[in-house]
Amino acid sequence: SFPTRRSSDLSTISITNSKAKESSSTSNQTPVIPSRILWLKHNQYKDVLNDFQKNEHNLVSFITQANENPFYARGPSFSEDTKKKHKLIPERTRNNFKHSAKLFIESIKDHNLEHLAHKYKWKHVVNVAGFISLTQHCSRSLIHMFTLMRDQEALSLTTDCVEPVRGWNNEAVYVLGISTKLNSSPVVEKWITTDAVLQPINVLTSINKVIAPYVRNPIHRDRLMVGEI
């Protein structure tokens, strides 16, 4: 027969489990990601950035046209909120927009984006905006990997955040951001890292040029991750 546990044993186990849960919930220790998983995520993030850069011109062209024409790449059905916005457009302009508008699939073909649409399963114009958000997320994640910045430090980056480093065979750069980690008030800090960080920064800079003109608060327009502020 199996040995029975005494009440004192059960009490000790209960206390131990309680302390373990308490420790895990209050600990400031950052979980360690296994290197194999980290490398896998790195490659996944890079794949998205590569897709963006290979198709950047066509993506920007599509987004620009979709922003300028509220009927472009959109189907005949609209939400009530969108219909109200359409009514604010002068009738003549609205009719011109409708005349020049095309359905989503036709618009994607016009901009040679069929491969991306198939790979990322785009069905509507909002999916293209989702891809831009995904690209921002992947870029930000790579910056975290390369610099070990915290969230707020990465969000503080601006489009001119890179500074060259003397020596290091020209393979290192400084990334300038705002930190409060070692100070009671925000100060500009430098993170030295490999020049591999330039790809996500360049991608975010390109996205910033597209999004910034539509950002109402001018203070946020030079932020590298302008859509996440």
Side-chain angles (χ1 to χ4, degrees):
S1 61
F2 292 101
T4 58
R5 289 176 175 171
R6 294 173 297 175
S7 60
S8 58
D9 293 333
L10 294 174
S11 177
T12 301
I13 292 171
S14 176
I15 294 172
T16 303
N17 289 340
S18 175
K19 291 296 182 183
K21 290 180 180 178
E22 181 181 318
S23 174
S24 63
S25 63
T26 59
S27 174
N28 292 323
Q29 182 65 41
T30 302
V32 177
I33 303 174
S35 57
R36 179 181 62 82
I37 296 177
L38 194 64
W39 180 244
L40 176 65
K41 298 304 296 181
H42 168 273
N43 291 339
Q44 289 175 341
Y45 296 148
K46 288 273 292 183
D47 184 50
V48 173
L49 267 61
N50 290 337
D51 281 340
F52 174 86
Q53 290 186 309
K54 289 176 184 176
N55 299 275
E56 180 178 346
H57 175 76
N58 293 336
L59 280 166
V60 171
S61 177
F62 176 90
I63 293 169
T64 301
Q65 200 159 350
N67 280 329
E68 291 175 350
N69 184 345
F71 295 91
Y72 187 78
R74 295 166 174 89
S77 61
F78 299 96
S79 67
E80 289 301 317
D81 184 56
T82 303
K83 289 178 181 178
K84 290 179 182 178
K85 291 179 180 178
H86 288 174
K87 291 180 180 179
L88 299 176
I89 303 172
E91 185 178 357
R92 185 173 180 179
T93 304
R94 187 166 67 244
N95 289 336
N96 288 336
F97 278 154
K98 286 182 178 180
H99 181 72
S100 61
K102 293 185 178 181
L103 295 178
F104 179 72
I105 297 300
E106 294 175 336
S107 306
I108 287 296
K109 289 181 178 178
D110 285 350
H111 294 277
N112 297 317
L113 294 171
E114 300 101 312
H115 173 70
L116 279 188
H118 176 74
K119 181 175 181 178
Y120 293 95
K121 297 180 174 58
W122 296 349
K123 301 296 182 184
H124 308 283
V125 67
V126 69
N127 297 140
V128 182
F131 176 73
I132 298 301
S133 295
L134 173 65
T135 305
Q136 286 181 300
H137 168 74
C138 293
S139 299
R140 178 179 169 184
S141 297
L142 285 172
I143 290 175
H144 282 304
M145 284 185 181
F146 293 136
T147 64
L148 301 182
M149 283 181 164
R150 298 181 297 171
D151 278 349
Q152 291 304 313
E153 292 165 346
L155 288 173
S156 75
L157 297 178
T158 58
T159 51
D160 58 350
C161 65
V162 176
E163 186 177 289
V165 176
R166 292 185 179 182
W168 295 80
N169 295 321
N170 296 319
E171 295 177 353
V173 295
Y174 284 126
V175 178
L176 282 64
I178 305 296
S179 179
T180 58
K181 188 172 184 179
L182 301 177
N183 303 276
S184 57
S185 58
V187 295
V188 177
E189 295 286 0
K190 295 182 179 181
W191 286 261
I192 189 169
T193 184
T194 170
D195 59 3
V197 78
L198 293 178
Q199 184 188 20
I201 288 178
N202 289 338
V203 166
L204 288 171
T205 301
S206 295
I207 294 175
N208 172 279
K209 292 177 181 178
V210 178
I211 297 177
Y214 303 97
V215 175
R216 294 181 179 179
N217 191 335
I219 298 176
H220 293 159
R221 287 176 190 159
D222 67 339
R223 294 294 178 90
L224 199 58
M225 301 176 209
V226 62
E228 300 189 41
I229 302 300

